[in-house]
Amino acid sequence: MQNKSPRIKALLTPGEVARRSGVAVSALHFYETKGLIKSTRNSGNQRRYTRDVLRYVAIIKIAQRIGIPLATIGDAFSVLPEGHRLTPAEWKQLSSGWREELDHRIKTLEALRDELDGCIGCGCLSRSDCPLRNPGDKLGEQGSGARLLEDK
């Protein structure tokens, strides 16, 4: 008796990956130039992706949604072997590295939200006593001219 189950396709075209992942083909090419995903080329020099790229694209989209920079995502992916299928435990370890950054972003956004009412009506956001633009006039202590506005 012959097995009539459909054959699982080993490689996916950019269009197939785009359709299944919900991102544009141009985004796939961009992620590839940033080293986040990899493709091979067929005999006609067309890109082909292994199925694991779908998981990596999903992780990229989740990370971007919470504000994780692509460079940080790339750093996290760089420790994984090429073509590796990420396990739930590995995802937990990977994402826990982003937790501190996300907690900092949440704290900053909550502070901005809580201080925002004081700015409505002012409109300048540049006075020395502005709690959003220049809390405690920290920038004035560094001298005149433009200064970085966020602690890194």
Side-chain angles (χ1 to χ4, degrees), residues 5-56:
S5 64
R7 189 176 141 224
I8 295 177
K9 192 173 179 182
L11 297 175
L12 302 171
T13 67
E16 290 169 325
V17 174
R19 189 171 39 263
R20 291 184 62 185
S21 66
V23 302
V25 170
S26 60
L28 297 174
H29 295 173
F30 178 73
Y31 295 155
E32 195 170 344
T33 63
K34 296 296 181 184
L36 300 173
I37 61 174
K38 292 179 176 50
S39 68
T40 58
R41 298 287 181 145
N42 68 9
S43 61
N45 201 30
Q46 297 169 325
R47 285 181 171 95
R48 294 295 183 258
Y49 296 97
T50 56
R51 299 177 70 75
D52 63 308
V53 77
L54 294 169
R55 183 167 296 203
Y56 284 88

Side-chain angles (χ1 to χ4, degrees), residues 22-23 29 37 44 53 56 66-68 77 79 98 107 115 125 135 145:
V23 302
H29 295 173
I37 61 174
V53 77
Y56 284 88
I66 61 174
I68 303 299
F77 285 177
V79 300
W98 298 336
K107 182 179 174 184
E115 298 289 339
L125 294 176

